[in-house]
Amino acid sequence: MLEKLAKQTAIYGVSTILVRFLSYLLTPFYTRVFGQEAYGVVTDIYALIPLALTLLTMGMESSYFRFAAKAEAEGGDVKQAKARLFSTTWGITTYAALLFVVAVGLWREPIARLMGEVYTLHPQYISWVAWIIVLDVSMAIPFARLREQGRSMTFVGLKLFGVVINVALAFTFGAMGLFATEFGVGWVFVANLAASALTWLALLPITRCLSWRIDGRLLRTILAYSLPLLLGGVAGTANEFLDRQLIKYLVPEGAMAELGIYGAITKIAVVMMLFYQMYRLAAEPFFLSNFKKEEFKEMNAAAMKYYLMASMVIFLAIALFRDLFALIVGRDFREGIHILPVVLMSNVLAGVWLNLSFWYKREERTSLAIVVTVAGLLVTLPAGFALIPTWGYYGAAWMRLMSEMTMVLVSLYLTRRFYPTPYPWARIMEYVGVALLIFLGAEWVGAQCETQPLVRYGLNTALFAGYLAYLVRRDKIDLKGMVKAVLKQK
């Protein structure tokens, strides 16, 4: 069964890398077009959007996967049951999004004042972004349906279509000199909105179901499952966006500039986030299917080990050569590159927490998501208030790492207490520990050879290759067999 997960991860992986790479072209472009403060606005807005999406989708994506699997297990008219599930989940999220955009329209001016001076001068930014959110929310369930049906290429094709439109418009606007106008950074949101609108129009015919009819009885059952996920998701997303918001409100001087630097450096960690996202896209519908309990535990334990092995390879590949990766962003943003290893480890821990969450979603004990994410939030706030006023974005990076570590530890405790799973922790900690020792050793040697970059790069390359060889030998990895399993066609 893990071969299926590996194959789906590879499909989502290659295609997601392509999609994200095109989107990623905007980072070096925007960090050269905009200054630190203007790019801080982009960072600020794109940190708030995930929170709105989490609120308005209400945990319905995970619910859709779980209840679709239950419909198949119960038998009967499965097609009709899934159609009713789709129209209910799609309907409730779309109606919620429409109410949201009406509310934003009514209270746009107070929202702009709350968000800061730049938004007071340009309240239209808020309107454009609100419509982006509406469209993205309305697409969430149709995209989930494509994943549940295993239509990964259609899923990725539509995502790719939207990104190509966004990137093409951004470069076109830049060539036309629009980013230098008074509206300035607002053209970033116009490009995004146009891409979302065209993607929405392309997605509609593929859904084959345009009904937003809500089945009240089914909705009540779904909400009992999804509302804890919503509350946990809000707290979890808050953990992820509070670093940006606390920089904005707690840094005494030059807050938007620091926010811009932090946003640019976190974009460099995109490879780690790509791996996390492609794994999530494949693993969520996979693990929420109907497996026997012991089979689920065995596969989840194995998936955790391989996830961390791959994550530490990516960590070393970026952290050991981060001064080269710094060239991705504009010169004004490279001063923050020293926080990159901390950001990378936060992203690694996010994937560990994802793996540890599958069992309570499967067992429909989603209220535990609230426990985990609130624990992280209880660390985020005091750490942020303690570190960010003095350390700025450096303190924000460490705050995020502390929060992710807390959520992993709480998840581990809950797993051991309620759903013991035979994770191979000794082997996992060995792999992680060796990677961190290699990184720290390379940092020490690099400090001694700061004026000899060729020596440093040569040593880091040897250390990275040695870690790969160590993993292959220690875990007895059959590379040829793995490639064949991923590429095998049914």
Side-chain angles (χ1 to χ4, degrees):
M1 295 302 293
L2 281 176
E3 288 184 3
K4 179 182 177 183
L5 176 59
K7 181 179 176 181
Q8 287 294 309
T9 303
I11 292 173
Y12 281 116
V14 174
S15 49
T16 301
I17 286 171
L18 177 60
V19 170
R20 290 289 176 172
F21 174 74
L22 290 173
S23 180
Y24 194 58
L25 292 176
L26 295 177
T27 298
F29 178 61
Y30 286 152
T31 54
R32 286 166 172 83
V33 170
F34 299 121
Q36 293 175 349
E37 292 190 5
Y39 191 71
V41 176
V42 178
T43 301
D44 186 29
I45 288 294
Y46 283 105
L48 289 169
I49 287 177
L51 178 63
L53 294 180
T54 300
L55 279 167
L56 297 172
T57 56
M58 298 178 282
M60 290 293 167
E61 289 173 286
S62 293
S63 299
Y64 182 80
F65 295 132
R66 185 59 186 150
F67 283 87
K70 289 182 71 172
E72 291 183 353
E74 291 169 359
D77 191 343
V78 176
K79 183 177 180 180
Q80 179 61 33
K82 286 188 176 182
R84 187 166 59 254
L85 170 65
F86 176 73
S87 62
T88 298
T89 51
W90 192 22
I92 192 65
T93 52
T94 301
Y95 289 137
L98 292 173
L99 286 173
F100 165 79
V101 77
V102 170
V104 169
L106 291 174
W107 290 290
R108 188 179 74 168
E109 301 300 329
I111 292 172
R113 288 194 295 272
L114 181 65
M115 291 183 64
E117 181 180 356
V118 66
Y119 304 100
T120 303
L121 295 173
H122 298 283
Q124 62 269 44
Y125 290 176
I126 296 171
S127 299
W128 290 110
V129 172
W131 279 106
I132 292 171
I133 291 168
V134 169
L135 292 170
D136 287 353
V137 170
S138 186
M139 289 189 286
I141 299 302
F143 272 124
R145 189 185 195 199
L146 292 176
R147 289 164 60 195
E148 183 267 330
Q149 293 174 338
R151 300 168 65 186
S152 53
M153 298 310 296
T154 304
F155 174 93
V156 172
L158 287 167
K159 291 285 187 180
L160 180 61
F161 172 73
V163 170
V164 169
I165 296 296
N166 192 8
V167 173
L169 285 175
F171 280 102
T172 300
F173 292 163
M176 294 171 64
L178 295 179
F179 292 131
T181 63
E182 184 180 353
F183 191 57
V185 74
W187 289 105
V188 173
F189 311 130
V190 173
N192 193 335
L193 177 59
S196 293
L198 291 173
T199 304
W200 189 81
L201 290 174
L203 180 61
L204 283 184
I206 297 173
T207 63
R208 299 176 185 172
C209 178
L210 300 181
S211 170
W212 292 342
R213 184 179 301 167
I214 296 174
D215 183 318
R217 181 180 299 177
L218 176 60
L219 179 61
R220 286 191 292 273
T221 304
I222 293 172
L223 287 175
Y225 177 87
S226 68
L227 284 180
L229 290 178
L230 168 62
L231 296 174
V234 169
T237 308
N239 285 324
E240 295 176 4
F241 93 95
L242 272 175
D243 49 0
R244 277 82 164 173
Q245 295 306 301
L246 291 178
I247 290 173
K248 177 179 169 182
Y249 291 108
L250 295 182
V251 171
E253 296 180 4
M256 293 305 289
E258 292 228 0
L259 184 58
I261 294 170
Y262 183 75
I265 297 303
T266 55
K267 286 286 188 180
I268 298 177
V270 69
V271 177
M272 185 66 76
M273 285 307 296
L274 281 175
F275 176 65
Y276 165 79
Q277 288 171 359
M278 74 186 195
Y279 178 76
R280 181 183 64 82
L281 289 172
E284 191 169 44
F286 177 82
F287 281 117
L288 294 184
S289 299
N290 287 291
F291 292 115
K292 294 180 180 178
K293 185 173 182 178
E294 292 307 315
E295 186 181 40
F296 170 87
K297 288 184 176 183
E298 180 182 350
M299 289 188 297
N300 191 239
M304 175 74 85
K305 183 183 73 170
Y306 290 117
Y307 168 82
L308 275 166
M309 288 170 66
S311 293
M312 297 316 295
V313 168
I314 296 170
F315 169 82
L316 286 177
I318 301 175
L320 293 178
F321 303 98
R322 65 183 181 274
D323 51 344
L324 297 179
F325 280 91
L327 299 177
I328 293 171
V329 299
R331 189 181 301 275
D332 293 344
F333 297 84
R334 296 172 194 167
E335 65 185 68
I337 196 63
H338 55 281
I339 69 170
L340 185 57
V342 182
V343 173
L344 289 169
M345 281 308 301
S346 295
N347 293 341
V348 171
L349 292 173
V352 175
W353 173 46
L354 174 70
N355 267 287
L356 293 170
S357 73
F358 288 135
W359 73 264
Y360 59 72
K361 291 179 181 178
R362 165 193 161 86
E363 297 296 308
E364 300 184 11
R365 301 189 63 176
T366 50
S367 60
L368 294 178
I370 302 172
V371 176
V372 174
T373 51
V374 168
L377 194 59
L378 291 175
V379 170
T380 295
L381 290 173
F385 280 96
L387 299 177
I388 291 176
T390 303
W391 289 2
Y393 60 79
Y394 188 71
W398 279 100
M399 175 200 75
R400 173 77 187 282
L401 181 63
M402 293 164 63
S403 174
E404 295 288 353
M405 178 62 76
T406 300
M407 289 191 289
V408 167
L409 291 175
V410 172
S411 294
L412 280 172
Y413 169 77
L414 294 173
T415 301
R416 291 188 64 180
R417 180 173 179 182
F418 298 113
Y419 202 82
T421 302
Y423 295 110
W425 289 118
R427 184 64 63 89
I428 287 172
M429 296 310 295
E430 177 187 331
Y431 294 155
V432 173
V434 170
L436 292 178
L437 285 174
I438 288 174
F439 170 70
L440 293 174
E443 287 293 287
W444 183 83
V445 173
Q448 314 307 312
C449 305
E450 191 172 353
T451 58
Q452 299 174 298
L454 291 179
V455 174
R456 181 158 46 89
Y457 292 146
L459 175 63
N460 287 356
T461 301
L463 288 171
F464 180 69
Y467 184 70
L468 289 177
Y470 155 75
L471 289 181
V472 171
R473 184 177 181 84
R474 184 74 174 93
D475 214 68
K476 298 181 175 63
I477 298 174
D478 179 4
L479 293 178
K480 291 183 179 179
M482 180 182 296
V483 173
K484 288 180 181 179
V486 170
L487 299 179
K488 183 180 178 182
Q489 299 293 325
K490 291 187 176 181

